[in-house]
Amino acid sequence: MTKVIAVTGKGGTGKTAITALLIRHLARCNKEILAIDADPDTNLPETLGCELEKTVGDMKQFMLTERDNLPPDINKESIFESKIYEIINEMPDYDLLVMGRPEGSGCYCYVNNLLRGIMDRFVTNYDVVILDTEAGLEHFSRKIIRDVDDLLVVTDGSRRGLRTAERIRELTEELETNIRNIYVIANKVTDTNREKIANLARELDLKLIGTVPVDRMIEERDLAGDPLFDLPEDSIAVQEVERIAKELGL
Ligand SMILES: Nc1ncnc2c1ncn2[C@@H]1O[C@H](COP(=O)(O)OP(=O)(O)OP(=O)(O)O)[C@@H](O)[C@H]1O
Ligand SMILES: [Mg+2]
């Protein structure tokens, strides 16, 4: 059975970093992984250290041209599928699909609709599908992400970060999305705020599954523009993410 994990939360809390560290863990467990960068800002490839070639957004022009040229009896779905396979970046340890943004227009409906289709059709080929989403609630309010086993809401030490988690939980309940579990991961945690965050999460009735500390190794790599994928085992963030992964049964 494929496990679908989506990572969400307020801007800048560390969604992409946590996603990359989870992929790092899964790769070391030899899982078949599809990583999807669903953020139009596209940061996951860099954080993983993957040279990006193609994005789903780039397909828009191709599909528009093809639509007019294709004979009416041809199965457009199969063309769509073969095109998606071309766009999946096959890395040694994982496959990466980058949604990106459609060329030219400011509307993401096209890319989002494709993402919905991908989620419906492609996920069963993998052990784990993990999505890094953009900040905000759009992927949920538009029901682009519907069937998820574990939704991980990343928060920082701020009250606002935990409020976002609360709002995401309310929204997913209202929309009757098919999300099995919602967990909160507090990131960039320090000894000073660890307990306060845990108390606030309890007050808000949020399931705090882990607290990832501020990690100097991440800060250094960020400044140097180096990926997080090959962080060593003695990184304190790696250790906590591995613990979280085990708790999630990964
Ligand atoms: N545990 C950590 N320790 C130190 N720095 C961290 C940690 N986690 C993330 N960071 C840093 O915090 C910044 C934001 O992280 P990241 O890009 O992962 O956040 P994000 O939630 O994906 O942001 P966005 O909303 O823009 O997509 C980055 O500079 C990253 O290197
Ligand atoms: Mg990000």
Side-chain angles (χ1 to χ4, degrees):
M1 270 292 282
T2 309
K3 185 145 170 143
V4 180
I5 297 172
V7 183
T8 181
K10 188 169 83 70
T13 48
K15 297 178 288 298
T16 304
I18 299 287
T19 307
L21 294 185
L22 281 168
I23 295 168
R24 176 194 174 285
H25 167 81
L26 291 164
R28 279 160 200 245
C29 299
N30 293 320
K31 301 274 189 200
E32 293 288 328
I33 309 158
L34 175 63
I36 302 180
D37 188 346
D39 182 350
D41 239 0
T42 312
N43 291 128
L44 188 61
E46 198 186 334
T47 313
L48 289 169
C50 164
E51 291 274 333
L52 171 65
E53 287 169 33
K54 303 152 279 185
T55 76
V56 176
D58 299 334
M59 266 172 67
K60 182 177 185 182
Q61 205 46 50
F62 167 86
M63 294 301 265
L64 289 178
T65 326
E66 286 300 289
R67 198 174 50 196
D68 298 336
N69 296 341
L70 289 171
D73 55 339
I74 197 151
N75 179 352
K76 295 201 177 64
E77 304 251 297
S78 66
I79 294 206
F80 158 79
E81 286 200 7
S82 62
K83 202 66 194 159
I84 293 282
Y85 280 118
E86 266 177 45
I87 277 175
I88 290 179
N89 296 274
E90 288 180 20
M91 301 300 289
D93 297 312
Y94 54 86
D95 285 357
L96 175 64
L97 186 65
V98 178
M99 302 312 294
R101 54 178 86 237
E103 246 174 76
S105 91
C107 173
Y108 296 122
C109 301
Y110 170 83
V111 169
N112 283 340
N113 286 337
L114 284 181
L115 177 55
R116 215 180 270 130
I118 291 163
M119 294 300 292
D120 289 345
R121 258 172 295 177
F122 283 78
V123 298
T124 48
N125 300 343
Y126 296 90
D127 296 326
V128 183
V129 175
I130 180 161
L131 291 114
D132 179 21
T133 69
E134 67 183 317
L137 306 177
E138 178 152 346
H139 279 125
F140 302 97
S141 57
R142 288 171 178 259
K143 293 199 180 182
I144 294 151
I145 299 175
R146 289 171 297 189
D147 297 307
V148 174
D149 294 292
D150 298 323
L151 180 67
L152 308 178
V153 189
V154 181
T155 177
D156 48 17
S158 72
R159 180 170 283 268
R160 224 155 49 84
L162 280 165
R163 286 265 179 238
T164 301
E166 199 188 19
R167 275 208 304 280
I168 289 171
R169 180 184 57 196
E170 285 165 6
L171 185 70
T172 51
E173 280 165 10
E174 259 171 49
L175 294 173
E176 295 174 3
T177 43
N178 191 9
I179 295 174
R180 281 229 202 111
N181 307 299
I182 301 182
Y183 299 108
V184 173
I185 296 178
N187 186 29
K188 305 192 229 183
V189 172
T190 61
D191 288 340
T192 342
N193 64 12
R194 182 171 286 109
E195 206 177 313
K196 284 187 196 134
I197 294 170
N199 289 340
L200 186 53
R202 212 171 299 123
E203 256 174 54
L204 297 173
D205 201 20
L206 294 165
K207 281 186 237 163
L208 186 66
I209 195 168
T211 49
V212 181
V214 173
D215 188 335
R216 207 172 35 81
M217 286 191 201
I218 296 187
E219 290 173 340
E220 280 165 8
R221 280 178 185 237
D222 188 87
L223 273 177
D226 290 336
L228 302 185
F229 189 70
D230 54 357
L231 267 176
E233 287 298 318
D234 60 351
S235 144
I236 48 179
V238 162
Q239 287 168 5
E240 177 63 358
V241 169
E242 287 189 343
R243 199 198 54 74
I244 293 168
K246 283 186 192 118
E247 200 150 325
L248 291 169
L250 295 172

